[in-house]
Amino acid sequence: MNTKSNQSYYNPSTVDTDPAETQEWRDALLSLAVTDGPVRVRHILDELVRSARIQGIGWQPELNTPYINTIAIEDQPAFPGDLAIEERLACFMRWNALAMVVRANKAYGELGGHIASYASAADLFEMGFNHFFHARTATHRGDLVLFQPHSAPGVYARAFLEGRLNEADLLHYRQEITAPSVGARGLSSYPHPWLMPDFWQFPTGSMGIGPISSIYHARFMRYLTHRELLNCDGRKVWGVFGDGEMDEPESMSALTLAAREKLDNLVWVVNCNLQRLDGPVRGNGRIIDELEKLFVGAGWNVIKLVWGSDWDGLFARDTTGALARAFAQTVDGQMQTFAAKDGRFNRDNFFGQNEELSRLVEGMTDEQIDNLKRGGHDLVKIHAAYAAAAAHKGQPTVILAQTKKGYGMGSAGQGKMTTHSQKKFDETDLIEFRNRFDLPLSDEQAKGLEFLKPSEDSAEMRYLREHRSALGGAMPKRETTCELIPVPTIESYAQFALKADGKEMSTTMAFVRMLGTLLKDPTLGPRIVPIVADEARTFGMANLFKQVGIYSSVGQRYAPEDIGSVLSYREALEGQILEEGISEAGAIASWTAAATSYSVHGLAMLPFYIYYSMFGFQRVGDAIWAAADQRARGFLLGATSGRTTLAGEGLQHQDGSSHLVAATIPNCKAYDPAFAGELAVIVDAGMREMLIEQKDVFYYVTLMNENYANPDLPEGAAEGVLRGGYHYGSYGPKDAQRVTLLGSGAIFTEVIQAAQKLAESGIGVDVYSITSWSQLARDGIENEGEDSKPYLAQLLRGSAGPILAASDYVRALPESIRAYLPADRAYRTLGTDGFGRSDTRVVLRSFFQVDAQSIMSRAIVELGLSS
């Protein structure tokens, strides 16, 4: 299709009162294009628009272009490979992916799997693999590729041909527990780095997480380059996503950031097969038109890849614009019907709409009409789009590629409402698929779902190896080699916390002071990535503005209002803080990019993301789970945490559940320290575990904005701090009736006050600082057997009497350790169940019954001293 032809796609919304004059204007424009070229035409159009705006005409150009390819046929580069071989390879991948899923479901019907998504995206994937996706080498750090998750079987099918997976592996798709017992590798349902740590690089199975992650990965690469930590020039981030996935808010939330930052290292390929899980994406509209408007409006470069090469002749013969008009009037629901039907149906119902369309297909057989390809299935057109995207400068690019869901599945599923769930094929369907793609399989081999792998010396296998070798080797591939980063001694940055000597401070204040000192360390400092979501001043981090600056890809083009102050705002190209504005989704995506840099870039970084704790696991818990899957290493700091600490904010801001959610993530270590000394031990241990031991863990640490006296960290308490708790102190007479109090975080000072009051009443009290309820519970699970004892049981060995636990979180949190307490001791939990409220801390703690008086009263009841 030639978008530069003289075809008329004009469809006026108002009556033309002077057609002759209109034609003169049209002719003048076309004449200018012929004599002076498109640059001059664009300049004149821009000037006309400016003049119209000055006159208040109230007009602006349409954001949509005709429903045809962006790249004209004369602008297509020569195809650089062997088209026939690449088409055969794509057919092999399609068959092996189908065979893998169908065989798994024949053996175990409940395993599931997806065929149709990859059937639509196979050519989009293969073009990238054969010509564009760079693997990491000594001279090229590699491209980042985020794959459409439902298409994972196609990636496994390619890995099988490459020799990275064998037939036994393919036979154990979605059987990750069973596979090792027979010497095979279990293949995860979707891209999961945790489950396949040397294979998948990015988890994309949760819709929308892949798109936003790709944007922030691309931006983080610019950050590394501008800070001169790693040169990422020449590398791309490719994301292959689905059109239905674009409905997710995360998919759309950072489009303007990508354009504002001019991330021309970012290319999205949106597989527009026009169908969701059980029906059309925009049945009554056109998703490609909708997405074009959205991306153009956000400032992206948009390449529409709509029709294959077979359509070029039809468009060349169409001198009246009949095809473009017909497409403009055909909604996606009808397009899906055309995909599901045969050539005769399409001749009658699409080309039969009027005489102009009918004439275009005169002389074509029904089979030829049936074989007209959509753009996303034509390797020549795909290459032209990818090449243009890779070469584009100054903007991120999105390729909107039209495909057919279930392409080639024929009556078994192509374009049908049930296509997404299609996992079973009868023998007739398999033979039909074999014939459709001209596969070298006998009837029996096709019915038996035999995997296809040409001989190692075949032209196809040589071609596959040569092209991947030229691009650095097999992909996807996850690597973890990176240098160790020395961590300074804890005394060098946290002595004030370890020996607090009763000084009043909040744990937030203590953290910021530690961070400021760590940033000055010549080795570790440059690798630290402070991240905030528009809350730096709230958390007392304004002093870091001058110290390390806020990252900006354009530096600072203004004199800030507070330029004369000590804590003035400072943006810089080499700035270190990532200030993400009011976007927790963006901030956690930035954190993930930094927290996985050791693997993605071979460069260890250490991100500290500090935020209101309520806006973490509750708001972006899915993204945190995906970061865990990607084996992130870094710190999440839930500040102003707890339900009674952030007193005035009320229900939506007060967090009583984040530690409960954090406990569900296996590689997240969650701590709720009460004092600066505890915090220092936790931060120190986390840095050593992640940077020196290089363990795939991340830490969630809650911080408070409440100032109170901080004691010295007791001698020998560090181990207990890390294991989840330690004996803080004993109060009252030793030979009296005794009670044991456990407390954490903001409520621990209330526990201490309660212990002191009980002691004044003649009751003996043992007080334990619980730094991590979840670590105690995990230890209990791991040491539940007869031959070992949970740490908690050992910890409480010297205490006596009923046990009372209190925290600023819901009671389910301290309830998680109940099973690991001494069996003969009563256990009572206090917490902040229910919705938050706005009031003073004193009133809130009394309301939720976690204040000192409530703790003391409950202890007396448990001792049987009061009814």
Side-chain angles (χ1 to χ4, degrees):
M1 280 163 285
N2 181 1
T3 59
K4 295 182 179 178
S5 70
N6 293 344
Q7 298 171 21
S8 171
Y9 303 117
Y10 179 57
N11 187 17
S13 57
T14 56
V15 176
D16 189 349
T17 58
D18 192 342
E21 183 185 30
T22 301
Q23 188 59 48
E24 288 177 9
W25 279 94
R26 231 186 251 122
D27 291 342
L29 181 70
L30 294 173
S31 174
L32 183 66
V34 171
T35 57
D36 290 13
V39 174
R40 179 63 179 163
V41 172
R42 285 194 291 269
H43 175 75
I44 293 298
L45 290 173
D46 287 340
E47 285 300 315
L48 290 173
V49 170
R50 274 190 283 272
S51 298
R53 285 174 179 160
I54 291 171
Q55 295 300 316
I57 303 299
W59 176 88
Q60 63 181 19
E62 286 272 349
L63 294 180
N64 275 134
T65 58
Y67 203 75
I68 58 177
N69 292 345
T70 300
I71 300 173
I73 186 170
E74 60 264 34
D75 291 336
Q76 288 178 195
F79 189 74
D82 187 314
L83 186 59
I85 288 181
E86 291 196 26
E87 287 179 338
R88 283 201 300 277
L89 282 169
C91 293
F92 296 164
M93 309 301 177
R94 278 194 173 89
W95 172 262
N96 287 336
L98 177 148
M100 177 171 51
V101 174
V102 174
R103 288 182 75 145
N105 279 278
K106 273 192 171 185
Y108 308 98
E110 73 269 28
L111 287 177
H114 299 276
I115 301 169
S117 292
Y118 177 68
S120 67
D123 297 301
L124 301 173
F125 277 39
E126 285 304 300
M127 179 53 59
F129 279 127
N130 286 325
H131 297 282
F132 293 95
F133 299 162
H134 283 267
R136 188 189 301 181
T137 66
T139 57
H140 192 293
R141 287 276 179 161
D143 292 336
L144 283 56
V145 185
L146 294 89
F147 293 98
Q148 187 180 11
H150 288 159
S151 296
V155 181
Y156 296 141
R158 169 169 268 268
F160 170 63
L161 288 197
E162 292 174 332
R164 302 174 67 197
L165 300 175
N166 59 39
E167 188 167 320
D169 299 329
L170 265 57
L171 288 171
H172 287 84
Y173 172 59
R174 289 190 169 189
Q175 299 166 64
E176 296 159 86
I177 299 171
T178 306
S181 65
V182 294
R185 177 170 193 169
L187 304 183
S188 61
S189 52
Y190 305 120
H192 291 307
W194 190 266
L195 299 173
M196 298 181 70
D198 61 343
F199 193 92
W200 293 114
Q201 195 170 41
F202 302 104
T204 53
S206 186
M207 299 289 99
I209 301 297
I212 192 171
S213 182
S214 70
I215 291 173
Y216 282 89
H217 272 292
R219 202 276 297 266
F220 190 69
M221 288 163 68
R222 287 287 170 81
Y223 171 87
L224 292 176
T225 299
H226 288 154
R227 290 195 53 221
E228 298 184 354
L229 293 170
L230 183 71
N231 187 350
C232 295
D233 291 344
R235 300 172 64 196
K236 294 283 185 184
V237 179
W238 296 83
V240 185
F241 309 120
D243 51 356
E245 187 174 3
M246 294 299 107
D247 284 344
E248 292 283 6
E250 292 89 350
S251 297
M252 300 289 103
S253 64
L255 294 186
T256 54
L257 176 138
R260 183 173 70 245
E261 299 286 310
K262 296 180 171 58
L263 297 180
D264 51 20
N265 60 341
L266 176 65
V267 179
W268 280 14
V269 181
V270 180
N271 176 23
C272 298
N273 57 37
L274 317 184
Q275 191 173 335
R276 286 199 194 95
L277 305 189
D278 60 359
V281 176
R282 289 290 181 274
N284 297 304
R286 284 181 297 279
I287 187 61
I288 289 180
D289 283 352
E290 182 178 318
L291 293 177
E292 181 183 25
K293 283 184 180 179
L294 185 67
F295 281 97
V296 169
W300 286 51
N301 174 45
V302 177
I303 297 175
K304 289 163 72 170
L305 172 59
V306 188
W307 306 113
S309 301
D310 296 337
W311 289 86
D312 287 340
L314 296 178
F315 276 92
R317 294 199 295 275
D318 179 20
T319 58
T320 64
L323 271 177
R325 286 195 300 274
F327 289 137
Q329 296 163 9
T330 305
V331 295
D332 285 354
Q334 192 62 44
M335 282 288 190
Q336 182 188 349
T337 300
F338 292 145
K341 301 298 184 180
D342 61 14
R344 168 51 62 181
F345 182 91
N346 284 286
R347 180 191 296 276
D348 294 342
N349 292 275
F350 179 75
F351 291 105
Q353 294 179 73
N354 55 57
E355 289 186 12
E356 292 173 296
L357 293 173
S358 294
R359 281 196 296 270
L360 291 177
V361 292
E362 285 179 356
M364 291 181 69
T365 65
D366 291 345
E367 183 179 12
Q368 286 174 320
I369 292 175
D370 195 37
N371 288 334
L372 287 170
K373 288 181 179 177
R374 296 187 181 181
H377 300 307
D378 187 311
L379 293 177
V380 173
K381 298 291 187 185
I382 298 170
H383 176 265
Y386 280 31
H392 188 76
K393 299 298 182 185
Q395 293 171 288
T397 293
V398 61
I399 298 169
L400 303 176
Q402 184 177 218
T403 65
K404 294 181 182 180
K405 192 158 192 176
Y407 179 65
M409 290 168 63
S411 59
Q414 180 172 286
K416 293 182 179 293
M417 295 295 189
T418 57
T419 293
H420 188 82
S421 301
Q422 187 67 34
K423 302 167 182 67
K424 297 180 180 179
F425 280 63
D426 62 29
E427 292 184 350
T428 302
D429 295 330
L430 293 170
I431 296 297
E432 194 175 297
F433 192 95
R434 187 272 315 269
N435 294 342
R436 169 67 182 81
F437 292 107
D438 194 22
L439 298 166
L441 294 166
S442 67
D443 287 357
E444 291 308 308
Q445 287 174 318
K447 293 174 186 177
L449 291 162
E450 288 192 17
F451 294 118
L452 255 175
K453 189 172 185 180
S455 64
E456 289 299 317
D457 63 348
S458 66
E460 292 86 355
M461 293 296 284
R462 290 199 305 271
Y463 189 92
L464 181 145
R465 288 193 299 269
E466 288 168 4
H467 278 69
R468 280 316 311 164
S469 177
L471 290 168
M475 283 188 75
K477 185 179 180 183
R478 183 175 178 275
E479 300 179 54
T480 58
T481 303
C482 67
E483 63 177 327
L484 303 181
I485 306 299
V487 174
T489 63
I490 190 171
E491 293 79 12
S492 67
Y493 63 89
Q495 186 67 12
F496 76 93
L498 299 173
K499 302 293 183 182
D501 194 29
K503 293 186 182 69
E504 286 203 354
M505 70 181 93
S506 68
T507 48
T508 298
M509 183 192 304
F511 164 72
V512 173
R513 184 172 171 182
M514 291 179 210
L515 181 63
T517 305
L518 286 169
L519 284 163
K520 295 174 184 175
D521 184 83
T523 304
L524 175 62
R527 303 297 186 91
I528 291 175
V529 184
I531 302 172
V532 291
D534 204 43
E535 292 290 352
R537 293 187 192 274
T538 300
F539 302 138
M541 296 174 67
N543 62 310
L544 299 181
F545 293 166
K546 279 198 170 181
Q547 182 180 337
V548 295
I550 298 162
Y551 170 70
S552 167
S553 62
V554 296
Q556 186 159 301
R557 296 174 171 174
Y558 60 93
E561 168 273 328
D562 59 354
I563 195 168
S565 71
V566 176
L567 304 178
S568 64
Y569 204 76
R570 183 174 77 88
E571 299 185 69
L573 186 66
E574 71 283 0
Q576 201 158 342
I577 301 170
L578 290 174
E579 217 280 24
E580 302 299 359
I582 304 176
S583 174
E584 282 81 14
I588 195 67
S590 263
W591 180 84
T592 302
T596 57
S597 177
Y598 74 94
S599 168
V600 175
H601 306 295
L603 183 78
M605 302 293 287
L606 186 66
F608 290 87
Y609 170 31
I610 185 169
Y611 56 91
Y612 275 22
S613 65
M614 193 61 160
F615 301 148
F617 289 90
Q618 173 167 306
R619 178 167 286 187
V620 291
D622 197 13
I624 297 173
W625 184 261
D629 188 352
Q630 202 175 330
R631 309 174 84 99
R633 301 172 184 173
F635 287 90
L636 296 175
L637 291 309
T640 58
S641 68
R643 188 147 281 162
T644 68
T645 306
L646 187 60
E649 295 284 359
L651 187 151
Q652 288 291 84
H653 287 64
Q654 292 171 348
D655 167 29
S657 57
S658 66
H659 273 285
L660 203 60
V661 183
T664 66
I665 301 179
N667 55 334
C668 174
K669 292 189 173 183
Y671 291 92
D672 186 30
F675 300 123
E678 296 172 355
L679 174 64
V681 168
I682 292 163
V683 170
D684 185 70
M687 291 193 297
R688 295 180 189 282
E689 195 169 8
M690 291 182 270
L691 296 176
I692 297 175
E693 299 173 37
Q694 296 197 349
K695 291 184 179 179
D696 296 342
V697 297
F698 65 97
Y699 279 51
Y700 173 58
V701 186
T702 40
L703 306 174
M704 281 75 74
N705 64 344
E706 182 180 3
N707 291 314
Y708 46 71
N710 275 244
D712 293 354
L713 184 72
E715 195 72 31
E719 180 186 358
V721 168
L722 297 176
R723 296 190 71 175
Y726 64 95
H727 184 257
Y728 178 79
S730 297
Y731 300 80
K734 294 187 177 180
D735 55 354
Q737 198 169 8
R738 302 191 68 76
V739 67
T740 299
L741 301 183
L742 315 181
S744 71
I747 301 305
F748 191 57
T749 56
E750 303 288 341
V751 170
I752 295 171
Q753 291 174 44
Q756 291 167 342
K757 290 180 180 180
L758 287 166
E760 291 169 4
S761 303
I763 297 171
V765 187
D766 286 297
V767 175
Y768 292 82
S769 176
I770 303 302
T771 52
S772 177
W773 303 97
S774 57
Q775 286 298 103
L776 290 175
R778 287 175 182 175
D779 175 85
I781 293 170
E782 293 169 4
N783 295 287
E784 227 173 345
E786 295 180 3
D787 298 332
S788 58
K789 268 196 172 180
Y791 169 70
L792 183 59
Q794 300 172 44
L795 180 64
L796 298 177
R797 195 163 40 204
S799 67
I803 304 169
L804 189 64
S807 82
D808 213 7
Y809 295 86
V810 294
R811 290 173 58 193
L813 182 64
E815 283 289 342
S816 65
I817 66 169
R818 179 180 288 274
Y820 315 111
L821 293 164
D824 59 344
R825 310 263 300 270
Y827 183 53
R828 174 71 65 175
T829 57
L830 302 177
T832 55
D833 293 69
F835 287 115
R837 304 286 195 280
S838 294
D839 216 306
T840 65
R841 290 188 187 119
V842 170
V843 172
L844 286 170
R845 287 171 184 169
S846 175
F847 174 81
F848 284 108
Q849 298 185 348
V850 291
D851 62 331
Q853 183 61 46
S854 298
I855 295 169
M856 183 181 73
S857 298
R858 176 51 61 181
I860 290 172
V861 170
E862 293 300 315
L863 286 166
L865 301 177
S866 175
S867 58

